[in-house]
């Protein structure tokens, strides 16, 4: 009986450690660095995890909303990635700092010219964007993630309030209220945002390194848990046989 209890405890421990080490379902998402206030500018990061064990992420395509076009979109240079910015003519021109804008960015594409995002890693893709709209609470972006084995994951399903999250949700940027004094970012603020993006690059690298170390630790713990569980089960079986033979 004692041997059986030890075996059961060992198996339970292995399952528990494995469950804790398995990461939650991840998808392409977008988050601001600081505030993303209506009417202003913001630096945002598209976070892209690699969810495959046998392929790397080699391309990310982010499509911008056409119902709320953004006149200013500036990507941050990223080593190992080629960046293409696609602009399209607007049906209705925008007014920005007293000037009429007849075209806006409709897509940004990052293509790896190296290894890309390898299994077990993620990467952040920063953009400085603006002027953010004032007549909506969120911006929905649609993203395509391409792997080295030619698989394409389409993160294009728009989450609906009150419903379960779809299998492949599109990245959604939540906008905060404008400041009480009604101040909107100026051209100088936009330049400041660009400098913030440069600083974010260093933070992103450190964040990626830390995350990769955490992922490695989680994988090791998972393997150790499986081994411990299997050893416990084997011990229980052998002990049971010995009692039977005795």
């Amino acid at each position: 009986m004692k041997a059986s209890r030890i075996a059961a405890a060992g198996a339970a421990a292995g399952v528990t450690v494995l469950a804790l080490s398995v990461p939650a379902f991840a998808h392409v998402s977008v988050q601001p660095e600081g505030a993303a206030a209506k009417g202003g500018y913001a630096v945002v990061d598209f976070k892209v995890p690699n969810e495959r064990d046998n392929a790397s992420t080699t391309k990310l395509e982010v499509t911008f909303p056409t119902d709320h076009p953004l006149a200013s979109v500036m990507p941050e240079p990223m080593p190992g990635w080629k960046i293409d910015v696609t602009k399209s003519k607007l049906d209705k021109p925008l007014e920005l700092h007293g000037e009429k804008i007849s075209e806006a960015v409709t897509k940004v594409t990052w293509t790896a010219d190296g290894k890309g995002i390898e299994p077990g890693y993620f990467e952040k893709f920063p953009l400085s964007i603006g002027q953010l709209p004032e007549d909506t609470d969120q911006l929905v972006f649609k993203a395509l993630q391409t792997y080295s084995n030619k698989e394409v994951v389409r993160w294009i399903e728009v989450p609906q309030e009150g419903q379960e999250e779809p299998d492949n949700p599109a990245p959604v940027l939540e906008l905060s209220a404008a400041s009480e004094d009604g101040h909107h970012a100026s051209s100088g603020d936009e330049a400041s945002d660009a400098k913030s993006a440069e600083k974010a690059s260093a933070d992103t690298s450190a964040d990626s390194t830390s995350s990769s170390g955490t992922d490695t630790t989680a994988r090791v713990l998972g393997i150790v848990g499986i081994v411990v569980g299997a050893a416990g089960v084997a011990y229980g079986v052998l002990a049971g046989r010995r009692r039977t033979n005795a």
Side-chain angles (χ1 to χ4, degrees):
M1 178 66 73
K2 184 177 181 181
S4 298
R5 288 179 178 176
I6 293 175
V15 171
T16 300
V17 174
L18 180 60
L20 291 175
S21 66
V22 175
F25 179 76
H27 50 76
V28 175
S29 60
V30 60
Q31 292 293 333
E33 296 182 10
K38 297 177 182 179
Y41 290 82
V43 175
V44 300
D45 295 321
F46 286 89
K47 183 179 179 181
V48 182
N50 191 89
E51 298 184 294
R52 301 295 179 265
D53 295 328
N54 57 353
S56 298
T57 295
T58 56
K59 181 187 287 188
L60 173 68
E61 300 170 76
V62 174
T63 300
F64 285 69
T66 56
D67 55 343
H68 294 97
L70 299 173
S72 175
V73 176
M74 294 189 298
E76 179 180 355
M78 294 180 60
W81 295 87
K82 177 178 176 292
I83 307 174
D84 293 311
V85 178
T86 302
K87 292 184 177 181
S88 300
K89 286 193 174 296
L90 299 174
D91 295 333
K92 182 179 179 181
L94 296 173
E95 186 168 331
L96 182 65
H97 305 311
E99 296 183 6
K100 290 205 172 181
I101 307 297
S102 60
E103 64 177 14
V105 172
T106 51
K107 184 168 70 172
V108 177
T109 303
W110 291 265
T111 305
D113 54 17
K115 295 181 179 179
I117 309 174
E118 298 183 272
Y121 291 84
F122 78 91
E123 196 154 353
K124 290 181 180 179
F125 296 79
L127 290 174
S128 174
I129 62 174
Q131 187 170 347
L132 298 176
E134 300 181 70
D135 57 350
T136 184
D137 294 326
Q138 62 181 25
L139 291 176
V140 178
F141 301 87
K142 296 186 178 181
L144 300 182
Q145 181 179 9
T146 301
Y147 287 91
S148 56
N149 60 3
K150 307 304 181 184
E151 177 189 5
V152 178
V153 181
R154 301 168 63 83
W155 303 100
I156 62 173
E157 299 178 62
V158 181
Q160 301 296 328
E161 187 176 356
Q163 297 183 14
E164 292 186 1
E165 184 177 70
D167 292 335
N168 295 302
V172 177
L173 177 65
E174 300 293 340
L175 303 181
S176 59
S179 58
E180 293 182 2
D181 59 5
H183 172 71
H184 294 161
S186 64
S187 299
D189 295 323
E190 183 178 356
S192 176
D193 283 339
K195 292 181 180 180
S196 297
E198 293 179 6
K199 179 180 180 297
S201 177
D203 296 339
T204 297
S205 299
D207 192 4
S208 298
T209 302
S210 175
S211 175
S212 63
T214 302
D215 289 343
T216 300
T217 301
R219 290 172 183 268
V220 171
L221 288 174
I223 294 172
V224 171
I226 293 173
V227 172
V228 170
V233 172
Y235 178 80
V237 171
L238 290 175
R241 289 180 178 176
R242 288 175 181 172
R243 291 200 309 276
T244 300
N245 293 335

